Amino acid sequence: MQERQTILIVEDDTDISRLLRLEIEEAGFEVITCDTGVRGLSAIREEDPDLIVLDLGLPDFDGAEVARRVRKTSETPIIILTAKDDIATKVELLNAGADDYLTKPFHTEELLARVNVQLRHRTSDSVQKIGSMMIHPARRQAFWEDNELRLSPREFDLLSFLCSQPGRVYSREEIEKSVWGENLPPSSNVVDVHIANIRNKLRDVGGFGVIRTVRGIGYAVKA
Ligand code: CA
């Protein structure tokens, strides 16, 4: 059974918050609610929700500020609820890192539709974090801590393939098939060469021992 996805609602208006909780739970999600920006930020750290619904007008600081702080460390989708309908506000929200916004008053069905769009979008693009490594499939970027790894396209494909299931050992044949397709000569050592290159690039930025060699079988990234 698939685990239920968690939606965090940061909204100080208790009527709206209660209504959203009911309807979003009804749609099959786990719901957490908070009523200030500060509580929202700590819930994001502690609960790691799949999506954040954020009210723009919060008692401590505004939703755009919350979004900016979230974006420093996380790519979790954010939908902002706003009473303001002007272009300047919308542009500010998108620049702050919001993925979408909804103008109050709105129908919960519309919010749910937008929640589903964001979640669908993220499952294919979702950022993977394995220890100090971070992979952004949509941007085709890989990071070790704050350092972007300068990988060739194949190296990126190989690393993200290994990272798709941290800890799992992939044979050379599996890696070849997934990264190069079926067209490699059988005795090619192209996988080993690429692994060596990726390891060097990781080592240059302090990433030691990230990729494990499993003798006679293949490779795995440490879970
Ligand atoms: Ca409010």
Side-chain angles (χ1 to χ4, degrees):
M1 202 185 85
Q2 219 195 334
E3 214 181 302
R4 294 208 295 170
Q5 290 180 297
T6 304
I7 313 282
L8 171 69
I9 300 168
V10 188
E11 165 65 89
D12 59 316
D13 182 322
T14 48
D15 289 338
I16 296 181
S17 175
R18 202 175 302 134
L19 177 75
L20 288 180
R21 172 190 278 280
L22 277 175
E23 301 205 18
I24 295 176
E25 278 179 349
E26 180 90 350
F29 295 99
E30 207 71 66
V31 173
I32 305 167
T33 53
C34 292
D35 56 2
T36 66
V38 169
R39 291 196 187 113
L41 286 168
S42 71
I44 290 159
R45 274 193 307 273
E46 283 154 28
E47 312 282 345
D48 191 23
D50 297 288
L51 184 141
I52 303 157
V53 175
L54 195 57
D55 180 33
L56 183 64
L58 292 168
D60 45 359
F61 39 79
D62 79 0
E65 182 55 27
V66 176
R68 266 189 289 275
R69 295 191 192 194
V70 171
R71 278 295 167 265
K72 287 185 183 161
T73 57
S74 141
E75 295 283 318
T76 308
I78 298 174
I79 300 176
I80 294 193
L81 307 177
T82 166
K84 299 182 197 163
D85 198 19
D86 58 295
I87 300 291
T89 303
K90 292 171 182 175
V91 169
E92 193 208 344
L93 296 180
L94 295 173
N95 283 337
D99 296 276
D100 201 355
Y101 54 80
L102 211 52
T103 311
K104 290 177 175 178
F106 57 87
H107 288 285
T108 318
E109 299 97 272
E110 186 177 2
L111 176 62
L112 279 168
R114 291 176 184 230
V115 163
N116 285 320
V117 166
Q118 290 302 326
L119 291 175
R120 251 201 322 274
H121 191 63
R122 290 301 157 128
T123 32
S124 54
D125 293 352
S126 63
V127 174
Q128 294 161 280
K129 269 193 196 156
I130 303 121
S132 299
M133 190 149 60
M134 189 149 70
I135 309 248
H136 287 261
R139 299 191 209 155
R140 295 188 61 83
Q141 287 177 308
F143 295 85
W144 178 264
E145 289 165 354
D146 288 334
N147 307 292
E148 184 176 354
L149 303 172
R150 302 281 165 199
L151 302 175
S152 73
R154 291 283 195 206
E155 288 164 3
F156 178 83
D157 289 340
L158 203 171
L159 184 62
S160 53
F161 179 60
L162 291 180
C163 289
S164 61
Q165 274 191 61
R168 179 182 181 310
V169 180
Y170 289 96
S171 68
R172 286 183 180 74
E173 294 70 35
E174 286 175 294
I175 296 170
E176 284 175 7
K177 245 187 220 169
S178 164
V179 179
W180 279 270
E182 314 262 346
N183 310 319
L184 281 178
S187 61
S188 161
N189 66 345
V190 70
V191 171
D192 305 286
V193 170
H194 279 71
I195 292 277
N197 290 340
I198 298 169
R199 279 179 170 153
N200 285 334
K201 291 177 183 182
L202 275 162
R203 221 172 277 141
D204 286 345
V205 291
F208 297 95
V210 180
I211 302 176
R212 194 161 68 88
T213 303
V214 182
R215 263 175 171 280
I217 302 175
Y219 298 98
V221 290
K222 289 203 174 143

